[in-house]
């Protein structure tokens, strides 16, 4: 193999590596060395919670808070008396709206 072939060789990446990478890119990631900037994290968390309570519809807020508390979509559907598909739609729309609000 020549050096030019080696530079352009494709590599396979395990799904766990991709998941770990996305977690490390998350604002909620805490490194093992503890060098994360806690002020940035708390400011982002405050902004996120403000938007959850003020930018979402009541049903989106209820759904998202239940999901964030660890409930599954099926459990949320039972609690709210709606179908699992509707829970998924509320969650998806809430996340999309939060992404738009947090970009600015």
């Amino acid at each position: 193999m020549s050096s030019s072939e080696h530079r352009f060789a494709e590599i396979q990446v395990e799904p766990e590596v991709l998941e770990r990478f996305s977690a490390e890119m998350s604002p909620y990631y805490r490194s093992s060395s503890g060098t994360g900037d806690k002020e940035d994290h708390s400011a982002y968390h405050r902004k996120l919670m403000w938007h959850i309570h003020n930018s979402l519809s009541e049903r989106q807020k209820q759904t998202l808070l239940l999901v964030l508390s660890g409930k599954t979509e099926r459990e949320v559907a039972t609690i709210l008396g709606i179908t699992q598909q509707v829970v998924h739609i509320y969650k998806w729309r809430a996340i999309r709206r939060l992404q738009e609000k947090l970009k600015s």
Side-chain angles (χ1 to χ4, degrees):
M1 175 187 289
S2 72
S3 62
S4 62
E5 288 179 63
H6 179 53
R7 281 188 277 149
F8 297 107
E10 292 184 1
I11 59 168
Q12 290 185 334
V13 179
E14 295 295 321
E16 293 82 22
V17 173
L18 291 176
E19 289 174 16
R20 194 170 348 120
F21 176 75
S22 63
E24 290 172 318
M25 298 307 292
S26 166
Y28 298 108
Y29 176 73
R30 294 179 191 256
S31 66
S32 58
S33 63
T35 59
D37 191 1
K38 291 182 181 181
E39 290 179 14
D40 285 346
H41 173 68
S42 64
Y44 185 85
H45 184 262
R46 282 192 307 273
K47 187 175 180 182
L48 175 64
M49 292 309 292
W50 188 91
H51 281 297
I52 287 174
H53 290 287
N54 296 300
S55 299
L56 301 178
S57 72
E58 192 61 33
R59 274 303 212 196
Q60 288 173 342
K61 180 171 55 172
Q62 290 172 339
T63 302
L64 198 58
L65 289 174
L66 286 168
V67 168
L68 290 173
S69 71
K71 304 276 189 231
T72 64
E73 286 184 0
R74 182 174 289 169
E75 292 169 331
V76 173
T78 302
I79 292 168
L80 297 179
I82 56 180
T83 66
Q84 187 174 344
Q85 291 82 8
V86 173
V87 169
H88 183 76
I89 290 168
Y90 283 143
K91 183 178 76 170
W92 182 80
R93 288 180 181 169
I95 291 170
R96 190 176 64 183
R97 183 173 291 168
L98 290 172
Q99 286 173 335
E100 291 170 2
K101 296 289 183 180
L102 293 172
K103 281 182 186 176
S104 54

